[in-house]
Amino acid sequence: MYAKAAKIIKSAERCVVFTGAGISVESGIPPFRGENGLWNKYDPMIFDIQYFGMNTRQSWEVFRTIFYEVFGEVKPNTAHYILAQMEKRQLVKAVITQNVDNLHTQAGSKNVHEFHGSLKTLVCLGCKTSFKVSDIDLHYLPPVCSRCGGILKPDVVFFGEVIPEPAGTHSFNEITRADCFILIGTTGTVAPANIIPGAAKSNGASIIEINPFPSEYTSSVTDIFIREKASVAMEKLMEEIDKKSV
Ligand code: APR
């Protein structure tokens, strides 16, 4: 399995990685679904843009607890670092991530498409000005814009919002550009991100999936299913890639 996956990656013209919350679990960030999933404790409604508009303070109190109290503390794990190495070695050309934790960039990956935005900035609902979260005091909720007094929201895609550009276009372009996708730690349940792997497969891409549990892709899209945690699987994959091919 690892040998086959390594061979596909090394022979690919353009290998792209597609990651979800699972790759950050070993950094201490809970996933949204499954064991210890955030949606087991909190209502996903807090991430609905209409709900946020009507329950701004309550939503912000939850965001501060589940995201901002750890944001900046959590560190990339082995899987993030190996992906950054693979990019340096031209084995991987881009990372499309659904995650908003900034860990791929922190680990050194350069070509990262943050499909759902990022926690590192807040945006004003009034004048659309963007602020670094490190410049905003989150003791006072909801945070307000210093320019127009509008409400600031996390610069991440809420249900009902559009995908940020250029991340969206760059990600969808990989459907016809990439001939290999490595899916790591995603249930494949949230549109429109979740259509990318299947569409790439229909265009002839080989699909390698790393996840300790089956996902929406496993029985329909995935060619090689590596049933393993991200960091363990990435280490084994790199060992295979580094083996001299006889
Ligand atoms: N290594 C790899 N995968 C793991 C690990 C691990 N150590 N631990 C858990 N997983 C897998 C789970 O089996 C699951 O398939 O990670 C996946 C996490 O699934 P979700 O929480 O649904 O995360 P994701 O697919 O990224 O969710 C997509 O949903 O709520 C929205 O915007 C949010 O971006 C998120 C989107």
Side-chain angles (χ1 to χ4, degrees):
M1 178 174 63
Y2 285 101
K4 202 167 159 223
K7 192 161 178 285
I8 290 173
I9 293 166
K10 290 203 285 191
S11 58
E13 284 295 309
R14 185 173 179 81
C15 183
V16 168
V17 184
F18 180 83
T19 64
I23 195 171
S24 297
V25 164
E26 291 158 88
S27 293
I29 301 179
F32 293 96
R33 298 166 188 85
E35 197 184 345
N36 301 326
L38 287 168
W39 297 153
N40 303 340
K41 276 172 79 179
Y42 300 97
D43 185 342
M45 274 304 277
I46 55 164
F47 260 128
D48 175 278
I49 191 66
Q50 312 291 345
Y51 179 89
F52 177 73
M54 292 181 289
N55 305 275
T56 313
R57 185 185 169 81
Q58 299 90 309
S59 299
W60 254 110
E61 279 165 357
V62 177
F63 297 151
R64 183 170 58 185
T65 307
I66 62 179
F67 292 124
Y68 291 101
E69 276 167 10
V70 292
F71 187 65
E73 309 298 316
V74 287
K75 296 286 168 252
N77 62 58
T78 306
H80 296 102
Y81 285 117
I82 290 177
L83 285 179
Q85 253 181 35
M86 288 175 78
E87 183 187 49
K88 271 199 195 83
R89 292 171 51 180
Q90 294 290 309
L91 289 163
V92 154
K93 297 289 192 289
V95 174
I96 300 168
T97 188
Q98 300 168 87
N99 302 339
V100 295
D101 54 33
N102 197 41
L103 292 182
H104 283 297
T105 306
Q106 271 186 57
S109 288
K110 302 279 180 255
N111 196 16
V112 181
H113 306 315
E114 292 177 316
F115 199 82
H116 288 156
S118 169
L119 291 170
K120 60 181 180 299
T121 48
L122 304 182
V123 64
C124 174
L125 290 177
C127 63
K128 304 294 174 227
T129 305
S130 176
F131 298 86
K132 276 200 289 191
V133 68
S134 47
D135 293 343
I136 302 294
D137 181 354
L138 292 180
H139 284 97
Y140 307 99
L141 296 180
V144 293
C145 174
S146 51
R147 290 188 56 180
C148 77
I151 297 283
L152 301 185
K153 80 175 260 291
D155 204 1
V156 300
V157 178
F158 281 28
F159 295 115
E161 287 193 304
V162 293
I163 300 302
E165 286 302 344
T169 301
H170 289 157
S171 302
F172 287 119
N173 287 347
E174 295 298 351
I175 288 173
T176 51
R177 294 185 69 195
D179 59 346
C180 170
F181 260 78
I182 307 173
L183 316 182
I184 308 178
T186 181
T187 43
T189 46
V190 172
N194 66 348
I195 65 168
I196 293 174
K201 167 86 179 205
S202 323
N203 276 292
S206 301
I207 309 292
I208 298 160
E209 180 180 11
I210 296 170
N211 196 322
F213 301 99
S215 71
E216 295 291 318
Y217 301 116
T218 310
S219 55
S220 55
V221 170
T222 298
D223 296 306
I224 300 177
F225 181 43
I226 299 176
R227 189 171 194 143
E228 187 51 89
K229 291 182 173 181
S231 55
V232 175
M234 290 310 294
E235 279 177 337
K236 288 184 181 169
L237 196 51
M238 275 313 278
E239 272 165 34
E240 275 304 326
I241 288 172
D242 287 338
K243 266 185 195 159
K244 290 280 162 281
S245 33
V246 288

